Amino acid sequence: SRSQLAGQQNVITTAVPFLTITPDSRRAGMGDAGVASSPDANSVYWNAASLAFAEKNAGVATSYAPWLRSLVPGISYNYLAGYGRINKRSVIGGSFRFFSFGEINFTDDVGNPMGKFNPSEYALDVCYATQLSKHWAIGTTLKYINSNLAGTRPLNGITPKVGRSGAGDLSAIYNGKTKMKVKGEKKDLKYSVGINLQNLGAKITYSDKTNREFLPAMFKIGTAWSYDIDQYNSITAMFDLNKLMAPTPGVNILKNYT
């Protein structure tokens, strides 16, 4: 309860938060809504199932974003994704995400320099999507995660490890049409409903098996509604609900940090 927290903030934290960074400007400009958006190469991240309805046989997307560059130089987010159709109903795809933390300086307990290091994290994803019908599609994604935050040399009596883990996504999407009246004339209104269970996998550790951290597992569900104004223009509205599925720390856990 709130009274037991005694004014403390009960913050949920996870390892490798870079997995939740929006990789493309299209969905970022719509408030990170995209689980039911029309398919493109970035759908490897948002909802792999939607790739089964992609109009083009193949696609590639890439992005680069300097991160907090006004505070710390050298931090960046790099992303590459693509897909290809293997038959009329099915698609395979993949992506590579790399997050660089720039250069950090290690010191001992009294501030003496102990060298420099460039921490980084990356994730490699492979996905498959297939149509179940002209309306339904499902998709699955497997990913390998590597998080190297401090190297492997001993620091102040502690030998850190490179964090490694595997995870997966399960996704589905439904595409349909309905009618709406525009100036007395009935016109098509396209809609989609998507769901994605994201980053489901094993905990990750940087030391030993007794100190493991949760991945940022997410439950995402959303809808998109699109109306074609004419041959060249359309308008789309999207709405997403996201829920982090990592457990909330209890009071006893909070006491360990005070």
Side-chain angles (χ1 to χ4, degrees), residues 227-234:
Y227 167 67
D228 293 332
I229 300 173
D230 54 38
Q231 184 179 357
Y232 305 102
N233 301 281
S234 65

Side-chain angles (χ1 to χ4, degrees), residues 121-189:
E121 299 176 313
Y122 69 84
L124 180 64
D125 299 16
V126 178
C127 69
Y128 171 79
T130 187
Q131 294 182 30
L132 301 179
S133 69
K134 66 178 182 180
H135 298 293
W136 279 101
I138 58 174
T140 183
T141 303
L142 298 177
K143 60 189 68 179
Y144 169 74
I145 304 161
N146 185 291
S147 178
N148 189 357
L149 300 182
T152 56
R153 56 183 168 180
L155 297 170
N156 298 325
I158 300 174
T159 302
K161 295 182 179 180
V162 177
R164 298 183 178 93
S165 184
D169 301 350
L170 297 174
S171 56
I173 194 166
Y174 177 86
N175 294 325
K177 287 183 181 180
T178 187
K179 296 288 185 179
M180 66 177 295
K181 280 189 177 183
V182 179
K183 296 181 180 179
E185 181 182 354
K186 287 188 176 181
K187 293 194 175 183
D188 288 336
L189 182 65

Side-chain angles (χ1 to χ4, degrees), residues 189-256:
L189 182 65
K190 302 175 185 177
Y191 66 91
S192 300
V193 179
I195 185 172
N196 193 5
L197 297 172
Q198 200 172 47
N199 303 324
L200 305 177
K203 293 180 181 180
I204 196 169
T205 180
Y206 300 95
S207 55
D208 53 55
K209 293 183 179 180
T210 60
N211 294 293
R212 299 186 299 164
E213 299 183 51
F214 286 95
L215 299 180
M218 298 289 294
F219 172 76
K220 296 183 176 183
I221 186 170
T223 184
W225 296 76
S226 180
Y227 167 67
D228 293 332
I229 300 173
D230 54 38
Q231 184 179 357
Y232 305 102
N233 301 281
S234 65
I235 184 170
T236 301
M238 288 191 285
F239 177 76
D240 277 18
L241 291 174
N242 301 328
K243 177 68 173 76
L244 181 65
M245 294 193 293
T248 302
V251 175
N252 291 333
I253 295 177
L254 286 172
K255 288 180 179 179
N256 293 332

